[in-house]
Amino acid sequence: MSNVREVTCQPSQQRALWAFVGIGAVGMGLAVVRATYGTILDLWLGIGVLLAVIGVMSLCAVTAEVTADAHGLRFRKLLRRRSVPWADIADLRIRRLHTNNHRMPEVRRISVLLRNGRTTLLPLPQATLERASDFDAKWEALRALHRAYGTPTSDHVPVISYRTSGGSWAGSLVACGLLLALAGGAASLVPAVASYERAWKSAAPCPAGTPTRERATCLTTRPAVIARTEVHSSRRTSWLYFTEHRPLERLAVPQDAAQAFQAGTSVELTLWHGEVMGVAGAHYVWRDHVPTGGSVAVIAAALALAAGYPAAQLLLRLRGRRRPDDEVVPSALPFLGALAGTAVWLLPLCYFHATTLLGSPLAITWAVVGSLGTLGLCALAWRATRVRTPGEVGTNDADAGEASADEEVFVAACFLEPTDYNPYRFGTHIVLGGGPPAVTPHAGPGRFAAKRIPVQRLTVKNVRRARGSDGDAIPRSWHVAELDDAGAPVRLAAAPADLTRLLHALASAKTPSRAGTLP
C-alpha cells in the first residue's frame, strides 16, 4: 500500500439506495396530498411520512463520498463538503460502534483526529465484522497515504470503543440526567401520596343523615349485582361488569378477584371520593391498593441509585481524561457494589421514614451510619478502579504466591495471536512449575492438551495497559506484554501482578539450570 496515490470510498448498492430515494419522493408527495385534502390523523399520511423519512435517509447515504490523495482528505455528505490537508490530521483511528449490545452487529468506521484536538467521523467506509475485507483494504490505503504525506502521532492502530477513554460519554450523561429527573419527579409526589394514604386510613363510615356533598370524605356502601366477569392473565386487566350499569358499568380488578366473583352474585361496594375502593361478597372481599408515601419514596431512591451507575462511568472517564483515547478504562462495576450496599440501608429508611426523616432521632442516626458505610464502599471502589500503570506492579506483587519448581500453578493469561503453541487462540491459562511453561485451555490440574512455550524465541519489547485494539475478550484491568517471537509480534495479556510473574518465569526458563533443555 506504500504506492497508493488515491483512495475513493463510495456507498455500495447504489441502485437500491436510489430506488429507496424514489420511493421516498413518492411518499412525500402522498403525504403532501393527504395533508392538503385529508385529515391530520390519516393512515395514508403516516405511510407517506414514513416513506419520506426512509427516502431522506437513503439520499444521505447515497450521496456520501470520501476521497483521499496526496493533498489530503475530502468528504461530502448531503448538505456538507469538507477538505482537510494531511498536515492538519494528527491521526486516523478506527471507531467501533454498538459493541456494548450483543444483539446488534458491531459497526466499524474511521475517525479523524485533527491537530486542534477535534474529531470527525468519516461517512465512509463502514462495515460490520462479517464484511470487513473491503473496510480493511480502504483503511490500510488511507493509513498509507497519511504516513506518506502526513505525520501520524501513533505508531499503532488506535481503536476507540465504549471501553476506551476516548469513547462517547453522551449516553451515560443522558441516562444519568433522565434517571435523576425521574427520581426528582417521584420524590415530589411523596407528600401528596402520603397525605392521601393518611386520609384513607382515617376514613370512617358516613353517619346516618350525612349530607350528600359531605359523603365524599367518608365511606359509603352501595349494593350491586355482578352481571359477568372477564378473567385475563396477570399481564392484562380483568373486569367485573354490573347489572344495569349501576353504580358503574365495569370495574378493573386483579385476576384472582375476577375469578372469585360469579355472574349473579350480590356484592356490596365501598365508595370513597366517588371511587370504588372495595367489593365484598359472601366468600371474598377485594380491596383496592392504595399507594403509600414510603413506596413512592423507595421508587425515587431506587431511581437515584440507578443514576449512580452512569454517573460512575462519567467519573471514570473524567478520571482518565489524560490517558490515550484508545486505552481501556477501568470498569464501573465496583461502584455498582457500592450502590448495592447503599440500597441495603437507604431503601428501608425511605420506606419507613418517607416524611419523618429529619424529625426522628432513629432515622437521623440510621442515615448517618449508612452514609458513613457508603463513603467507605465508595472509597474501596475508587481504589479498585484506579489506573495501574505497568511500573506500579512491584516485585513483591510478582513474587506473591511463588510456587516451588515441582508444584504446578495455573495463571489466568492468554496470547492474543494464534501461534503454534496457541493454536486458534485456545489458551486461557499458563501453567508454571512441574516442567517448562506451557499454554493450557483449562485451569488444571494436570497438563492435558498443554502446549509448551518456546521461551528461547520470545523477547519482551514493552508492557502496557490494554488498548481498544486488543479486543473485548480480556478484562479491563489486565495489562499486555508485547513480545517478539522470532520476528513475529505476539501479545500476552494477564492481570498486572500475574503478568509480571509470568514474564519473570519466562525469563528464568531461558536459564538451562532452571528450565532444562527447551526447543
Side-chain angles (χ1 to χ4, degrees), residues 100 162 167-183 301-319 329-340 382 476:
N100 56 344
Y162 74 99
S168 176
W169 47 265
S172 299
L173 180 61
V174 171
C176 181
L178 181 60
L179 289 172
L180 288 178
L182 292 175
L303 290 172
L305 291 174
Y309 186 71
Q313 292 177 323
L314 290 173
L315 179 63
L316 291 180
R317 292 198 179 277
L318 182 63
R319 188 182 184 184
V329 296
S331 173
L333 289 179
F335 286 96
L336 190 61
L339 294 173
W382 180 264
R476 296 176 183 237

Side-chain angles (χ1 to χ4, degrees), residues 345-369:
W345 66 266
L346 181 60
L347 298 184
L349 175 64
C350 292
Y351 184 81
F352 292 108
H353 300 277
T355 58
T356 60
L357 178 60
L358 300 179
S360 171
L362 176 62
I364 294 176
T365 304
W366 190 342
V368 170
V369 174

Side-chain angles (χ1 to χ4, degrees), residues 39-212:
T39 59
I40 297 179
L41 298 178
D42 185 83
L43 176 61
W44 289 105
L45 176 61
I47 294 176
V49 171
L50 178 61
L51 294 178
V53 172
I54 294 176
V56 172
M57 295 174 61
S58 301
L59 185 61
C60 293
V62 77
T63 56
E65 185 181 32
V66 175
T67 305
D69 54 20
H71 302 287
L73 271 174
R74 296 184 301 275
F75 53 94
R76 71 177 185 182
K77 300 179 183 178
L78 179 59
L79 300 175
R80 186 183 181 186
R81 294 175 180 266
R82 189 175 181 184
S83 177
V84 183
W86 291 118
D88 294 342
I89 298 178
D91 214 346
L92 296 177
R93 309 182 298 184
I94 294 178
R95 183 69 179 268
R96 298 169 55 194
L97 306 176
H98 307 307
T99 53
N100 56 344
N101 191 338
H102 299 290
R103 297 183 179 181
M104 299 182 65
E106 176 185 305
V107 179
R108 296 196 298 171
R109 297 180 64 178
I110 296 178
S111 174
V112 178
L113 175 63
L114 303 178
R115 297 290 177 182
N116 57 11
R118 296 184 179 181
T119 60
T120 182
L121 203 61
L122 295 182
L124 294 172
Q126 55 179 300
T128 60
L129 285 180
E130 292 78 8
R131 300 178 179 179
S133 58
D134 184 66
F135 178 90
D136 293 338
K138 298 292 186 182
W139 161 256
E140 291 295 339
L142 291 174
R143 287 278 291 181
L145 285 173
H146 190 207
R147 287 193 297 267
Y149 303 104
T151 308
T153 56
S154 61
D155 55 355
H156 63 280
V157 179
V159 178
I160 310 300
S161 69
Y162 74 99
R163 286 163 49 103
T164 62
S165 59
S168 176
W169 47 265
S172 299
L173 180 61
V174 171
C176 181
L178 181 60
L179 289 172
L180 288 178
L182 292 175
S188 65
L189 297 176
V190 172
V193 173
S195 177
Y196 183 85
E197 176 193 3
R198 290 192 298 267
W200 163 249
K201 289 182 177 181
S202 62
C206 297
T210 302
T212 304

